[in-house]
Structure formats: C-alpha cells, structure tokens
Amino acid sequence: MKQTRLISSEEVREQSEYMQKVRSFWGGRELYVYIETFGCQQNEADSERLCGMAVEMGYTPTTDPAEADLILINTCAVREHAELKALSITGQFKHLKEKKPSLQIGICGCMVSQEHRKEDVRRKYPYVNFLFGTSMLWRFPQILWEAMHAKRRTFHLDTGDPGNIAEGLPVRRAPGHKAWVSIMYGCNNFCTYCVVPYVRGRERSRQPACILEEVRTLAAEGYREITLLGQNVNSYGKDLAAEGERYDFADLLSDICKIPGDFQIRFMTSHPKDASEKLIDVMAREPKIAKAFHLPLQSGSDNILRAMNRVYNREHYLHLIDYMREKMPDIAITTDIIVGFPGETEEDFEDTLDMLRRVGYDNIYSFLYSPRKGTPAAEMTPVPQAIKSARFQRLLDTQYEIAARKVAGLVGTLQTVLVEGRSKTDVTRLTGRTEQNRLVHFEGDDALIGREAVIRITRAEPHALFGELE
Ligand code: SF4
C-alpha cells in the first residue's frame, strides 16, 4: 500500500496565493517574525521552511520577540522537559499580546500533534491564535491567513493522513556555511519509549532527484557542510522500494558525492538495524563524507533493548563498530544512551557501562528516561528516581574518563577544521569542527569563518580541543 501523499504542485501554488493574501492584508507595513525552535535538527529544518514562508509573506526575521508581529513556537515532544519549556515560553508571550493585540501567536510541531496537548493550549492559552501539527506545515500560509482574516482561533491537527511530502516550499536558512537537508520524514520503528511515529507519521522518503537538486543548489551557493536529516535516516528508500525502485541510503550518498563542489556531508540520525556494510563501505570510499558516525545504542543490555523494541542486540551493534573501525580507523563514534528505562536492573546498567568501555565512544548524549503519554513504556514499572540519577552520574563519570583518554593523544597533532564562528563562551576565540566533529577553539581572524584552517592542538579536554593556527 502506498502511504505517502505527495503534495501536488497545484496545492503548493495555492499556498503561494495565501502568502500573497497575507502580504496584501498588511498593506506593505514593516512586519517581523520571531521563531522559537525546540528539539532536534529536523525541527530546525522545519523552522527554516516556516521562516522561508513567513519571509515570502512580508515578515523579516527577528531575534527579539518584543518587536514581532508573528511568533511561532515550533515544539518537541521527545521529552516532557521540552514540552514544559515550550508551554512556559508560550506563557511568557502573553504580555506581548496584551501590548500588541494584532500580534499573531502560533504553535506547531510535535508537541501539539498530540490531542491532549492541543487541548492544553486551547484551554490554558486563549491568546494563542493558531496551532498545527507536523503534517500541516506546508499549509502554514493558509492557516495564518484564516486566523488573521476570520479573527478566530484555528486548530489544525493531523487528520490521520499517514504522511505527506511537499516540495518547492521556500526556505530561509540560518546564516553560515552549514545547511540541513531533510531527506525523509517519519519513523516506522515504534521504539516503546518514543512518540515520534505517532506525531510525525510513517517513514516517507523524498524522491532522489529532488534531494540531489537541492544539494546541487546548496553546493553552488557555497555551503561547506550539508547534513542529511531523517528520524531514521539510514532507512531512506525503503518505501521507494515498495513502489518498485531499489535505491537506498548508500546509493543516495554515492550520488550526492558525485555533485561537484567543495563540501562535506554528514547525516543523522541512524538506526543500528539499518546501518549496513554497504553504507559503511560508501563512507570509507568517499572523501566528501565526514568520518563521524552517530549510532544510538540506547542501552547495552539485550533485555532492555528487547523491551525498547530496538530490534538489534549487543553482538550486532559491536559487529558494526568493528566493521567501521576496520574500514575507517580514524572514525569518530558517538551515541545516545537512555538511563533508567523501566525494568533496568543493576546488571542491565552494568552492561551499558561495559558497552561504553568496549566501543570507546568519542562522545555520548545521555538522557534520563522520561515517560511519554501513549507509549507502551509509560505503562511499565518505573525505576526509582534516586537510582536513575545515581546511574546517570556513573555513566557520565565513565564516559568522561574514556573521552579524556581518547583526546589526550591529540595534543601536539595538526587538525584541519571548518571554522564556524566566534566561540559562544569566549568571543576572543574562533571555533571550528574537525571532520570527526570535534570542537576546536583557537585565536584567529573573522576572515577565517566558513573556511578551513589547520590548528596545532595544545590542550585537550573531553568536550573540546584548544590550539593555535599553524
Ligand atoms: S527510531 Fe525509535 S527512537 Fe528513533 S524516532 Fe523512531 S521510534 Fe523514535
């Protein structure tokens, strides 16, 4: 059964007409849009499309919500903390609405793709003008127009549509030399702790020709780093195969590498069950693909992996790591770990620490398990908070030692970095990233931003390297 609905060019054109209507509505007034984005890179990419559409409607992006005429809050549902933060920010915007009644406030993204959160917003935030779920993003101009024109609140949840793909929407990318490219949407995996398949629908891949064209354009515009995005990026193409084509993520990467230009490719997020040897071979062969692999482990215990419905085990995961290191000895490997999943015993947790030591990750992103309403894990017996917190600290301590050992060997070496800009914590320094995605701080001139620089490393800390221009 074909699940993906490709939004037709007529439907996209219709949205352009709504963009013109909004623009005319304000009669050339100077207008500003402020977008607050929570969550993952997919949400960042979605916000860039929302911003692109807002610009077409006559709004200028601003970083100051107080001067905005339109505020969009693009939410995340992966952890409760992110939801509460989004609701708290929404609460803080109430006084802006009181000062400027013409201000339009909209909430979108994963959090409000859940019925109970839609109800929360409806009841507790009466000044929010409109709300729409992730599959409605392409209809943002129409939704905004209806909210403004009809002067009533509009709430558009997903309609049970298994998912759609809209091509040709305008994009306003964040300044800089890095670009996100979404290559697929949704997820079929139903990990028992995760709401993503419920709020973003089933997996659907963009057509290869559309992705290649977008990357070609970005390369021609001078973008130096292009990150391919998907909730489950390496299962790209499976749904295309169902339509009779045989084209997978490794094929896509190979074709992207044929595009002329001086750019580097990264991708996220991968699932170990879909990380094939073919994909690793393409990475090893193609100099344009950064030698960095983020491969979420989540737990080192086969029992917990089964309870999480992750569909791989330690042995499979370690085989992938061995194969990667055999083909790319200098590859950096990072991961995600959930601590305190329901039923996690001391032995299960020790298995996770054991995996940390065996793999020797360059970095880990660790999270305390947080129950998500409507997921199977939310019904399972929780681990007491005190035990979760103590394990979390042990995990961090273990990883700190591993990372410190790994980076110590880098002192004295020369590292080529792509210079990103001024350091967020010390503006006297520039910050760049190595191909392995290691952060490097050094002193230098703004003229280096967006270019490559060779740095001699003088100091190494687990989360950052420090050095001097060579
Ligand atoms: S792979 Fe699992 S954790 Fe990742 S988005 Fe899909 S269901 Fe969520």
Side-chain angles (χ1 to χ4, degrees), residues 246-362:
R246 279 177 169 273
Y247 190 86
D248 63 15
F249 184 51
D251 296 322
L252 179 70
L253 279 175
S254 290
D255 282 346
I256 288 176
C257 289
K258 291 180 195 137
I259 295 173
D262 186 11
F263 63 94
Q264 191 165 62
I265 301 160
R266 299 186 188 275
F267 57 86
M268 65 192 325
T269 293
S270 299
H271 194 300
K273 82 173 164 49
D274 299 309
S276 64
E277 291 186 0
K278 178 180 169 187
L279 166 61
I280 295 167
D281 289 342
V282 171
M283 279 185 83
R285 189 180 71 219
E286 296 288 357
K288 276 193 168 123
I289 305 176
K291 303 298 175 274
F293 209 122
H294 183 71
L295 194 62
L297 172 67
Q298 309 300 10
S299 169
S301 153
D302 283 346
N303 290 334
I304 296 296
L305 288 174
R306 242 187 322 276
M308 288 176 164
N309 190 32
R310 289 291 289 175
V311 208
Y312 55 85
N313 57 18
R314 288 165 61 94
E315 191 188 343
H316 175 74
Y317 190 95
L318 286 170
H319 166 74
L320 289 171
I321 300 294
D322 288 346
Y323 193 74
M324 272 184 224
R325 291 224 163 104
E326 180 194 327
K327 298 285 169 174
M328 297 171 278
D330 60 341
I331 193 164
I333 300 172
T334 53
T335 199
D336 295 333
I337 302 284
I338 297 174
V339 176
F341 183 81
E344 183 190 75
T345 62
E346 180 57 24
E347 198 182 346
D348 294 323
F349 179 65
E350 283 292 339
D351 283 347
T352 299
L353 296 183
D354 177 60
M355 283 295 270
L356 253 56
R357 294 186 194 104
R358 281 196 194 203
V359 175
Y361 292 107
D362 292 83

Side-chain angles (χ1 to χ4, degrees), residues 187 189-191 193-194 196-197 231-232 271 298 310:
C187 181
N189 290 327
F190 290 94
C191 299
Y193 52 83
C194 182
V196 167
Q231 254 79 38
N232 192 14
H271 194 300
Q298 309 300 10
R310 289 291 289 175

Side-chain angles (χ1 to χ4, degrees), residues 118-326:
K118 183 189 90 171
E119 275 317 301
D120 281 351
V121 173
R122 190 195 290 280
R123 283 188 293 107
K124 299 180 194 161
Y125 304 88
Y127 50 91
V128 170
N129 299 89
F130 59 94
L131 170 158
F132 54 95
T134 53
S135 73
M136 296 281 169
L137 182 140
W138 66 280
R139 286 183 56 202
F140 161 51
Q142 182 178 357
I143 292 167
L144 174 61
W145 164 253
E146 285 171 2
M148 280 169 25
H149 193 245
K151 292 195 171 52
R152 61 176 160 74
R153 308 177 81 198
T154 51
F155 286 69
H156 291 263
L157 260 194
D158 305 310
T159 53
D161 190 345
N164 55 48
I165 291 184
E167 296 289 353
L169 298 175
V171 182
R172 169 59 73 100
R173 291 192 155 86
H177 56 276
K178 295 160 91 163
W180 311 115
V181 173
S182 299
I183 63 164
M184 63 181 302
Y185 306 96
C187 181
N188 290 354
N189 290 327
F190 290 94
C191 299
T192 54
Y193 52 83
C194 182
V195 289
V196 167
Y198 306 98
V199 295
R200 283 205 176 257
R202 299 293 80 74
E203 284 175 6
R204 48 209 191 272
S205 304
R206 290 176 67 197
Q207 289 296 318
C210 297
I211 299 168
L212 293 171
E213 186 51 38
E214 186 171 348
V215 174
R216 207 171 283 123
T217 305
L218 292 169
E221 287 172 356
Y223 282 91
R224 298 294 312 276
E225 185 179 298
I226 295 170
T227 303
L228 309 177
L229 297 178
Q231 254 79 38
N232 192 14
V233 75
N234 51 354
S235 77
Y236 174 83
K238 283 189 177 168
D239 53 325
L240 299 177
E243 292 172 22
E245 292 182 40
R246 279 177 169 273
Y247 190 86
D248 63 15
F249 184 51
D251 296 322
L252 179 70
L253 279 175
S254 290
D255 282 346
I256 288 176
C257 289
K258 291 180 195 137
I259 295 173
D262 186 11
F263 63 94
Q264 191 165 62
I265 301 160
R266 299 186 188 275
F267 57 86
M268 65 192 325
T269 293
S270 299
H271 194 300
K273 82 173 164 49
D274 299 309
S276 64
E277 291 186 0
K278 178 180 169 187
L279 166 61
I280 295 167
D281 289 342
V282 171
M283 279 185 83
R285 189 180 71 219
E286 296 288 357
K288 276 193 168 123
I289 305 176
K291 303 298 175 274
F293 209 122
H294 183 71
L295 194 62
L297 172 67
Q298 309 300 10
S299 169
S301 153
D302 283 346
N303 290 334
I304 296 296
L305 288 174
R306 242 187 322 276
M308 288 176 164
N309 190 32
R310 289 291 289 175
V311 208
Y312 55 85
N313 57 18
R314 288 165 61 94
E315 191 188 343
H316 175 74
Y317 190 95
L318 286 170
H319 166 74
L320 289 171
I321 300 294
D322 288 346
Y323 193 74
M324 272 184 224
R325 291 224 163 104
E326 180 194 327

